[in-house]
Amino acid sequence: MAAQSANRRDFLRVAAVAVAASGLGSLSDAQASQLSGVSKTISAQQDAVDLTPLHASTESPDKTPGPFDAPSERIGFAVVGLGHLSLGQILPAFGKTKHCRPVALVSGDSAKAAKIAAQYGIRESSIYDYKSYDDIRSNPDVQVTYIVLPNSMHAEYVIRGANSGKHILCEKPMATSVADCERMIAACKAANVKLMIAYRQQYEPMNRAIVKLVHDGKLGALRSIIATNAQNQGDPLQWRQKIALSGGGCLPDVGIYCLNAARFLSGEEPSEVRGTLHQPEDDPRFREVEESCSFIAKFPSGLIAACSSGYGAHKSQWMRLEGDRGWAELNPAFGYTGLKLRTSTVQDGHDVVSEPLIEAADQFAVEMDHMALCVRNNVQPHTSGEEGLQDQSIIDAIYESARTGKSVSLAAPREATRGPEPIAP
Ligand code: NAD
């Protein structure tokens, strides 16, 4: 009993810290509603399972996982598209979520879908193909459809999902044109469903820690962000190399991580971009899309981000933020696992370089749990459709700059690009 109340006290403290870290001091309606989600989570925490610690009190404390919602209380997701990301990351991540369960699949390959449905305990009657996708409307188990298709198909499947009355989680990049992003946002608004773009890094604990460092002024005024995301592409026939399906080469696929990081970590929107790209003539992989693309984004405060992305260089993923009082570095950055954070801040007049101990989280699990809590508590997702639209506008401007050889000025976004801060997992 004593252990139980200590646990509850601990959790209330953690929840209070999470709320404080979320900057929920003065509450808008949406934030207040998110806060009510926190109190629901607090009561769920009373159901947490306590285990007697295995180790001495001098060791770091054991963590009991959870609490996890019972299956009947979880938010049901339909996964649309059963390719590498769905099979390798998203479906396995459901086992690490607290609030989500896979309840339906949408695929053009019924034999593959049947095998996967059996593996994840999904009813055969909840398997759809791309034609019968709209029938998902009458499946009460499905509350969210998660769109994991080639980029140019996102718009159609988001809009059809919204018209079926389902909330939408959509992979990045949101689409392949600003016009499609706007249609997707309008369709979700008209259908009164939530739209979240799956920017997993915005829910990842080390990235969250950098957001807090910047917000708390620990790095001082940001002056520079340098970021690289590159990988060496294989099969020239895959959709990523076809402009009609991908919308571009390395920039919208992997360069978007650098762009999005520069925006959400700084909390600023760029006012000007300049881009340059390379598309070799003799490599069959790059008949339609660029191999490499670098860009510089200038922000109103004077911050400059220099980012590079590539489809021909060996895998390379890192990023550094430099302020006038310190720096923070993720190396590697952007991957699914293995991220490493180093920071340098001034303490008592000395530069202190440290590697903060931050527990890793499955990025897909925390991202899906965020969506589930937004649905349950009627809150706008942190990475809304407007966030995806803003990246798409900047990507278009980078391509325009590469074409014309001139810098392109950017208007400030018409609407806020982000919803309330996510609650720590
Ligand atoms: P993939 O090629 O492995 O899977 C795509 C799926 O779409 C396949 O099941 C394929 O059969 C299906 N499909 C339906 N119509 C198709 C068509 N006309 N052409 C090609 N495929 C078609 O791709 P993926 O790596 O799973 O990527 C899917 C989406 O997820 C993309 O938008 C991509 O940008 C995004 N993604 C995000 C991350 C991340 O870390 N968040 C990582 C990888 C991919």
Side-chain angles (χ1 to χ4, degrees):
M1 194 64 195
Q4 242 178 22
S5 64
N7 242 12
R8 180 171 155 71
R9 264 199 316 277
D10 280 350
F11 179 77
L12 287 169
R13 184 178 49 76
V14 170
V17 169
V19 170
S22 307
L24 291 175
S26 59
L27 296 175
S28 67
D29 287 347
Q31 286 168 329
S33 138
Q34 186 180 45
L35 190 54
S36 74
V38 173
S39 62
K40 278 180 199 157
T41 316
I42 288 170
S43 65
Q45 184 71 20
Q46 289 169 312
D47 299 331
V49 175
D50 260 337
L51 295 177
T52 313
L54 286 178
H55 305 295
S57 58
T58 48
E59 303 288 310
S60 15
D62 299 330
K63 272 200 174 166
T64 51
F68 300 93
D69 290 346
S72 59
E73 287 167 18
R74 289 176 176 239
I75 301 292
F77 282 63
V79 177
V80 184
L82 298 179
H84 290 83
L85 188 67
S86 294
L87 301 197
Q89 305 299 326
I90 292 169
L91 283 160
F94 277 101
K96 296 177 194 154
T97 63
K98 297 177 178 177
H99 311 294
C100 312
R101 64 182 177 133
V103 294
L105 300 174
V106 181
S107 170
D109 181 338
S110 57
K112 177 169 70 172
K115 272 191 209 163
I116 295 163
Q119 288 166 14
Y120 286 92
I122 295 168
R123 279 199 281 264
E124 255 184 68
S125 58
S126 291
I127 298 175
Y128 302 85
D129 62 23
Y130 298 120
K131 275 199 188 121
S132 63
Y133 171 52
D134 308 283
D135 296 344
I136 223 162
R137 169 195 314 270
S138 50
N139 187 335
D141 290 344
V142 178
Q143 283 151 291
V144 175
T145 64
Y146 190 168
I147 312 300
V148 201
L149 291 166
N151 306 341
S152 69
M153 298 174 71
H154 292 179
E156 177 189 341
Y157 285 84
V158 164
I159 292 168
R160 285 169 67 186
N163 290 344
S164 299
K166 306 301 179 185
H167 301 286
I168 308 285
L169 177 56
C170 174
E171 262 310 323
K172 52 51 65 181
M174 179 173 176
T176 53
S177 70
V178 162
D180 275 356
C181 293
E182 285 172 342
R183 288 194 308 124
M184 293 154 82
I185 291 171
C188 291
K189 277 197 180 134
N192 197 23
V193 296
K194 315 237 167 273
L195 171 58
M196 171 170 157
I197 309 305
Y199 286 109
R200 59 181 165 78
Q201 59 182 356
Q202 294 210 32
Y203 303 91
E204 189 283 323
M206 293 189 200
N207 282 276
R208 302 291 329 143
I210 300 177
V211 168
K212 188 163 176 358
L213 276 176
V214 172
H215 181 264
D216 294 350
K218 293 285 187 331
L219 306 183
L222 286 184
R223 295 288 185 242
S224 161
I225 295 177
I226 312 158
T228 289
N229 198 3
Q231 63 193 34
N232 202 352
Q233 289 299 98
D235 180 9
L237 298 179
Q238 61 177 298
W239 65 262
R240 281 180 169 81
Q241 263 81 271
K242 308 276 176 214
I243 189 91
L245 285 164
S246 61
C250 57
L251 176 60
D253 190 24
V254 293
I256 193 171
Y257 287 89
C258 307
L259 170 61
N260 193 254
R263 293 180 49 239
F264 84 85
L265 294 174
S266 69
E268 274 196 75
E269 295 299 335
S271 50
E272 188 183 304
V273 286
R274 191 171 183 111
T276 185
L277 55 81
H278 176 59
Q279 190 171 342
E281 282 172 9
D282 55 352
D283 188 327
R285 297 175 299 170
F286 305 117
R287 290 219 173 93
E288 299 187 19
V289 299
E290 77 278 3
E291 177 194 319
S292 52
C293 179
S294 292
F295 64 90
I296 292 179
K298 198 168 172 191
F299 294 74
S301 66
L303 165 67
I304 293 177
C307 303
S308 70
S309 57
Y311 260 177
H314 185 67
K315 186 170 178 176
S316 172
Q317 305 178 310
W318 58 269
M319 163 173 83
R320 187 183 254 225
L321 287 83
E322 297 164 342
D324 62 7
R325 295 178 55 78
W327 51 257
E329 173 182 278
L330 272 182
N331 188 2
F334 311 129
Y336 301 144
T337 56
L339 276 58
K340 235 183 202 173
L341 174 63
R342 283 203 321 148
T343 62
S344 172
T345 51
V346 178
Q347 289 169 31
D348 299 327
H350 299 283
D351 280 342
V352 177
V353 175
S354 61
E355 288 186 17
L357 279 176
I358 295 173
E359 198 168 337
D362 184 297
Q363 298 176 45
F364 294 92
V366 289
E367 157 197 294
M368 288 193 285
D369 271 341
H370 178 76
M371 180 68 185
L373 289 178
C374 287
V375 168
R376 182 173 291 163
N377 302 319
N378 191 22
V379 176
Q380 189 196 353
H382 182 57
T383 50
S384 61
E386 284 75 10
E387 177 78 347
L389 166 64
Q390 176 65 356
D391 273 345
Q392 185 62 49
S393 312
I394 301 169
I395 286 170
D396 286 358
I398 294 168
Y399 279 136
E400 183 188 334
S401 168
R403 227 176 13 251
T404 60
K406 293 183 178 151
S407 297
V408 175
S409 299
L410 298 161
R414 284 194 299 267
E415 291 187 51
T417 61
R418 266 162 237 131
E421 294 289 309
I423 292 169

